[in-house]
């Protein structure tokens, strides 16, 4: 099953490679990985989307926690109620009035925003769970998709539980 | 006190109480070597190859319980050290390895003798650091010692660019007495409910089995393990890494388990209904086929490393904590429970185990006209009164040493169990002897393994470490040959070592005493003669039976009850 694991780690230069190295050395899946600074400049927050059996997910959590640079960790999926978001920018061919109409209509349905328009292309911004972004890609005509870029998922638990020091 | 980085380095080691540093100089560490020259608190041991430095420091650490310290230069110095770092990592041995690095400004430019030491060692260290400012030097070294020695121990690398140890830049120095790392909390509170559940399972057992590993040694829990085991009267087996924590011989000790473990230990593992694993990590050489591992057992597992729990084998009752502390709590809880083990069931269980033991699975041909390696180890045990530190290499000789030398104290059996590093034995013996100057130290090795770090004979001569090298010379990479005999229809592909050196002359060339022993009747006399030479390294070249095999044996991927046994006429 897919899990989102969030960690707070020391903002040290080698920290990211320790995590990436752990996943490759132990043969764990890594679907996406994002890192960014937090309001505390000594910490960065990483979100990893991974998948595996319950045993493997348990090992991944423990092995991550064992890394000296990892200060705190939470398995957002195992924790229950949470919000997951991913950002996608997608550039599509829009070189005829029918296409422009159709892309615009789909973008509205998916609550996307058109960020850039040229004579032949549109760039649309979409946020949501990964499955929603997948859905939008499916709704587009494959040969019209010129480029996609996705941020990888981030997540946060609902309610009082927090990943905080 | 105002000091430059190079002096901070040596002053720190002194303040940290470091006695020996094992190393080899080179450009990136020359400032440090100059600082070492100016002091005499920390003794530097000059090895002949950086692999030797790491193994010597490792032997020192395993035998004394103190961290081993290594100093090597950048580039090839660091890469040569990697095998020893990985060896320590797999056996959870506390090492602090200082690697020199090119000057900060040159990092990333493919400078002379530059390698990314932090990157190369990352997968085989507990943690590593690159020092970026001389102001961080002392605290980083402190962190390195702290991380290496606490929790589940392991090697830590500190990479120090040359400019950090520049003798011209002075800064205030104060030894950092204490340290807090918010991201690393090695001390854990033992969960009381887990103790209760474990005690209940232990006392309800009909066919209990205690399985103890290297963690019992690392945690200095030998006394607690003895008390606990005897309190229950349960059978105990130990892993290759755990030998000596519980004494051998002893009525409750059924011997080592695993691939070359005893018949009784492996059968008891297979049939037990409660498995009490303590400081052991369910390594594949121990478990055999996981599908068939302890099929009917409820598993209790004590380990300081949560990631060890349920990694290979599902654990029913995990107890995270220091083995020593947990054993004390368990012993107390057993007394407090006022319950006793099931005497009747235990009696039957012991009856069954005795039956297995009666197979005498370690038997070998004692009437052979050739020297049997087992016989040499048995005599070694007798001649040393069972009171030696034994280091070993990797191969059949290692298994014979583990099977036939009876260790009744922890930290006496020093071998590379996890990584299986040939070349470990001799340098490890040097470190062991330095850490235990008055002790008897022997290295049981093979003619192939010993050649992987043979250059350390010079180190042994320089520092007058009177090690006894027991070379079980079968003219084969015996363990490889055994696998080829069993699994490749005796096609001995590249396992025969042609052109062996004359080890006696070789030992003499290095300034030591060499003895060759070719007949069984000469074994005991030669050993006595060698061990009487208290101040000399004696290299004993025993010409042993070429085709002897290690039994019993569980083939890789088989279950504990599927052992090969020796057939004797
Ligand atoms: C560095 C290294 N290379 C290869 C091996 C694989 N290996 C395991 S045992 C062995 C043979 C050892 O021969 P020897 O030292 O003569 O010991 P014997 O088995 O004959 O007692 C080899 C090559 C290893 N363990 N370590
Ligand atoms: Mg050999």
């Amino acid at each position: 099953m897919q899990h989102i694991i969030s960690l707070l780690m020391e903002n040290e230069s080698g920290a990211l490679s320790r995590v990436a190295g752990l996943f490759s050395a132990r043969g764990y899946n890594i679907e996406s990985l994002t890192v960014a600074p937090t309001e505390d400049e000594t910490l960065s927050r990483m979100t990893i989307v991974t998948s595996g059996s319950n045993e493997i997910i348990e090992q991944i959590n423990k092995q991550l926690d064992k890394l000296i640079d990892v200060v705190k960790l939470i398995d957002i999926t195992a924790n229950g109620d949470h919000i997951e978001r991913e950002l996608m920018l997608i550039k599509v061919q829009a070189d005829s009035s029918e296409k422009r109409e159709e892309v615009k209509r789909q973008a509205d349905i998916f609550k996307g925003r058109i960020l850039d328009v040229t004579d032949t292309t549109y760039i649309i911004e979409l946020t949501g769970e990964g499955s929603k972004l997948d859905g939008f890609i499916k709704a587009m005509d494959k040969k019209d998709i010129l480029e996609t870029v996705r941020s990888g998922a981030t997540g946060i638990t609902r309610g009082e539980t927090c990943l905080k020091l | 006190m105002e000091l430059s980085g190079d002096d901070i380095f040596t002053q720190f080691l002194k303040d940290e109480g470091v006695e020996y540093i094992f190393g080899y100089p080179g450009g990136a560490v020359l400032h440090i070597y100059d600082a070492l020259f100016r002091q005499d608190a920390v003794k530097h041991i000059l090895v002949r190859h950086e692999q030797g430095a790491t193994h010597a420091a490792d032997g020192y650490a395993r035998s004394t319980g103190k961290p081993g310290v290594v100093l090597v230069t950048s580039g090839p110095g660091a890469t040569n050290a990697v095998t020893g770092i990985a060896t320590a990592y797999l056996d959870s041995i506390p090492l602090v390895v200082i690697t020199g690095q090119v000057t900060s400004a040159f990092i990333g430019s493919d400078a002379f003798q530059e390698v990314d030491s932090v990157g190369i060692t990352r997968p085989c260290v507990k943690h590593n650091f690159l020092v970026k400012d001389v102001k961080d030097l002392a605290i980083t070294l402190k962190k390195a010692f702290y991380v290496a020695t606490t929790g589940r121990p392991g090697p830590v690398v500190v990479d120090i660019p040359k400019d950090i140890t520049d003798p011209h830049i002075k800064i205030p120095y104060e030894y950092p007495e204490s340290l807090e790392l918010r991201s690393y909390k090695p001390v854990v509170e033992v969960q009381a409910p887990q103790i209760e559940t474990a005690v209940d399972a232990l006392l309800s057992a009909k066919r209990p089995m205690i399985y103890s590993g290297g963690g019992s040694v690392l945690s200095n829990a030998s006394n607690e393990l003895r008390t606990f085991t005897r309190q229950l009267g349960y059978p105990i087996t130990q892993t290759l890494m755990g030998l000596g924590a519980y004494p051998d011989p002893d009525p409750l000790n059924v011997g080592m388990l695993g691939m070359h473990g005893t018949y009784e230990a492996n059968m008891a593992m297979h049939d037990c209904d409660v498995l009490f694993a303590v400081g052991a990590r369910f390594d594949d050489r121990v478990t055999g086929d996981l599908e068939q591992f302890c099929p009917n057992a409820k598993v209790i597992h004590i380990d300081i490393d949560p990631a060890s729990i349920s990694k290979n084998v599902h654990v029913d009752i995990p107890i995270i904590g220091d083995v020593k502390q947990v054993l004390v709590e368990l012993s107390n809880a057993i007394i407090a429970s006022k319950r006793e083990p099931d005497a009747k069931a235990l009696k039957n269980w012991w009856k069954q185990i005795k039956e297995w033991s009666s197979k005498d699975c370690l038997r070998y041909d004692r009437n052979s006209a050739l020297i049997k390696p087992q016989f040499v180890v048995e005599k070694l045990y007798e001649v040393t009164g069972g009171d030696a530190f034994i280091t070993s290499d990797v191969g059949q000789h290692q298994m014979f040493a583990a099977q036939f030398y009876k260790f009744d104290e922890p930290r006496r059996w020093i071998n590379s169990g996890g990584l299986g590093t040939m070349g470990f034995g001799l340098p490890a013996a040097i470190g062991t002897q330095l850490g235990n100057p008055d002790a008897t130290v022997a290295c049981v090795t093979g003619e192939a393994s010993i050649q992987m770090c043979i250059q350390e004979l010079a180190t042994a001569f320089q520092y007058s470490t009177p090690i006894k090298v027991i070379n079980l010379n079968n003219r084969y990479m015996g363990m490889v040959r055994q696998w080829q005999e069993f699994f490749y229809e005796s096609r001995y592909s590249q396992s025969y070592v042609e052109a062996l050196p004359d080890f006696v002359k070789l030992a003499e060339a290095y300034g030591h005493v060499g003895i060759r022993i070719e007949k069984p009747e000469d074994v005991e006399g030669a050993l006595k003669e060698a061990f009487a030479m208290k101040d000399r390294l004696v290299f004993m070249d025993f010409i042993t039976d070429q085709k002897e095999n290690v039994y019993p044996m569980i083939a890789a991927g088989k279950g504990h009850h599927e052992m090969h046994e020796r057939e004797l006429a």
Side-chain angles (χ1 to χ4, degrees), chain B residues 361-488:
Chain B
C361 67
L362 296 179
R363 68 193 179 279
Y364 65 91
D365 180 6
R366 289 169 187 278
N367 304 317
S368 167
L370 301 171
I371 298 179
K372 289 286 181 183
Q374 299 95 323
F375 178 69
V376 178
V377 178
E378 279 185 339
K379 288 295 160 197
L380 174 66
Y381 177 71
E382 283 173 32
V383 169
T384 56
D387 193 27
F389 286 82
I390 307 290
T391 72
S392 194
D393 271 296
V394 179
Q396 292 182 323
H397 61 271
Q398 175 193 25
M399 292 301 123
F400 292 134
Q403 290 177 334
F404 288 88
Y405 200 97
K406 312 249 168 267
F407 295 94
D408 62 0
E409 289 297 332
R411 300 192 179 279
R412 293 299 182 90
W413 166 238
I414 290 165
N415 85 132
S416 165
L419 196 66
T421 310
M422 290 169 70
F424 175 80
L426 176 60
I430 294 172
T432 301
Q433 186 76 77
L434 289 167
N436 305 271
D438 301 324
T440 304
V441 179
C443 166
V444 177
T445 184
E447 80 295 334
S449 292
I450 190 73
Q451 292 189 74
M452 286 216 176
C453 275
I454 192 83
Q455 74 286 346
E456 301 308 328
L457 282 174
T459 310
F461 186 75
Q462 181 172 346
Y463 299 99
S464 307
T465 47
I467 297 154
K468 305 297 174 279
V469 178
I470 313 292
N471 189 34
L472 299 177
N473 185 347
N474 53 7
R475 285 85 71 213
Y476 269 113
M477 294 174 197
M479 189 55 94
V480 174
R481 191 203 55 73
Q482 177 170 347
W483 281 57
Q484 290 172 333
E485 180 186 330
F486 287 9
F487 311 119
Y488 297 89

Side-chain angles (χ1 to χ4, degrees), chain B residues 3 38 50 81 222 224 230 233 236 241 259 271 300 330 336 362 377 393 408 411 427 435 440 477 493-494 509 511 548:
Chain B
L3 291 179
R38 290 193 287 271
E50 289 87 351
S222 188
E224 292 71 16
R230 288 170 183 157
I236 178 168
M241 292 311 298
M259 185 170 271
D271 278 16
I300 306 167
L330 282 169
L362 296 179
V377 178
D393 271 296
D408 62 0
R411 300 192 179 279
T440 304
M477 294 174 197
S493 177
Q494 303 297 322
E548 184 54 290

